[in-house]
Amino acid sequence: MAAQASFAQAPQTVQLQNLTWTELREQIQAGKTTVIIPIGGTEQSGPYIAVGKHNVRAQYLADRIAQKLGNALVAPVVAYVPEGSYAPPTSHMRFPGTITVPDDVFEKLLESAANSFAVHGFRNIVFLGDHGGYQKDLQQVVAHLNKTWAGTKARAILPAVYYATSSDGYAQLLRQHGIRDDEIGTHAGLADTSLQLAVAPQMVRQNQLRSAPKPSAADGVYGGDPRRSTAELGQLGVDAIVSRTVDAIRQATAAR
């Protein structure tokens, strides 16, 4: 009876960091055996989006996905990821605010987090990577974990559709709404900016953006033009990412 009362009083959240250890124990025992590890990154995203873009977006989308799944919780966001070298600075490290870690450190961090969750009774450990630069690292981590966990109840899952929908899949949706490829971009263009307006508009410097000349790679905007970005266009991407990822996770865990 005491355990039931405690479970009933637990806050209505899927964010693991907002629960006590006893609340977590009870939720796991009650069937919340899937945990989502949202992986972001702290990097430049042009002059008009704050450097925490991926972190906020990954947490928001993971929360939405966990709510729809019904049996999942969301781990704290992994904010430090490989972003290039710092000696000399390469890739996004050429811009202030970007934080990088070596690939092997990143992979060990993810493996350690996943093993922690497996020890505590989670059976499905789902990795959602919001950034394209470390997708191969995630594949290696998942393969290594599943080899290590062979014969146990734990399983690592990397739904490829999450990143595929946020990149190429979302670009296709935008084309269907009349957006040109030279606007969509691959980094900090219309696609990136619209998603952020839908998720966290306070992170986009909208007044500066609307009156700006077209940004270039020198500004950290690659292949696109964010000036016609809208939250409505971003919501198309949010809805597609969430629904497709939920379906993929359900399929991956159906036999478990």
Side-chain angles (χ1 to χ4, degrees):
M1 291 294 292
Q4 290 178 348
S6 176
F7 182 73
Q9 294 169 8
Q12 297 300 305
T13 178
V14 294
Q15 294 294 326
L16 180 147
Q17 63 190 358
N18 292 333
L19 297 169
T20 70
W21 78 265
T22 53
E23 291 165 349
L24 280 166
R25 177 186 61 191
E26 288 150 15
Q27 293 210 19
I28 294 168
Q29 291 172 349
K32 287 201 172 181
T33 54
T34 294
V35 62
I36 298 171
I37 302 178
I39 305 156
T42 307
E43 64 174 21
Q44 74 84 17
S45 283
Y48 310 112
I49 308 178
V51 297
K53 170 194 75 181
H54 281 302
N55 301 324
V56 172
R57 194 156 76 198
Q59 183 178 46
Y60 177 91
L61 293 170
D63 193 290
R64 287 275 308 273
I65 290 164
Q67 295 278 6
K68 284 188 173 293
L69 286 170
N71 66 338
L73 296 173
V74 179
V77 175
V78 178
Y80 295 177
V81 307
E83 293 280 8
S85 172
Y86 47 75
T90 62
S91 188
H92 295 306
M93 282 300 297
R94 294 174 295 124
F95 299 84
T98 303
I99 303 170
T100 194
V101 297
D103 291 86
D104 59 337
V105 172
F106 175 64
E107 291 178 16
K108 285 292 185 184
L109 168 65
L110 296 180
E111 289 178 11
S112 296
N115 279 307
S116 299
F117 292 128
V119 164
H120 297 137
F122 288 100
R123 296 180 62 185
N124 305 305
I125 291 81
V126 180
F127 294 91
L128 297 184
D130 207 64
H131 183 345
Y134 48 66
Q135 296 297 317
K136 289 186 178 179
D137 294 288
L138 300 185
Q139 293 168 11
Q140 291 179 195
V141 167
V142 167
H144 183 259
L145 285 170
N146 283 331
K147 182 178 180 181
T148 303
W149 290 343
T152 74
K153 294 182 179 180
R155 182 184 177 193
I157 298 169
L158 178 62
V161 72
Y162 175 86
Y163 183 70
T165 303
S166 68
S167 52
D168 293 341
Y170 180 40
Q172 184 58 38
L173 287 173
L174 290 173
R175 292 185 193 104
Q176 293 170 5
H177 283 76
I179 307 301
R180 305 186 309 270
D181 284 351
D182 65 345
E183 293 180 291
I184 293 171
T186 58
H187 177 80
L190 183 143
D192 234 356
T193 307
S194 292
L195 280 176
Q196 207 63 22
L197 284 170
V199 168
Q202 74 278 6
M203 299 184 77
V204 180
R205 307 298 183 253
Q206 297 186 58
N207 290 339
Q208 298 173 46
L209 174 63
R210 302 308 177 197
S211 60
K214 182 179 179 179
S216 68
D219 302 304
V221 178
Y222 303 146
D225 185 346
R227 292 177 296 174
R228 285 210 299 156
S229 304
T230 67
E232 290 75 20
L233 289 172
Q235 194 62 46
L236 295 172
V238 168
D239 292 343
I241 294 165
V242 171
S243 63
R244 295 176 190 179
T245 304
V246 167
D247 288 346
I249 294 172
R250 284 177 173 159
Q251 291 175 14
T253 60
R256 294 176 58 72

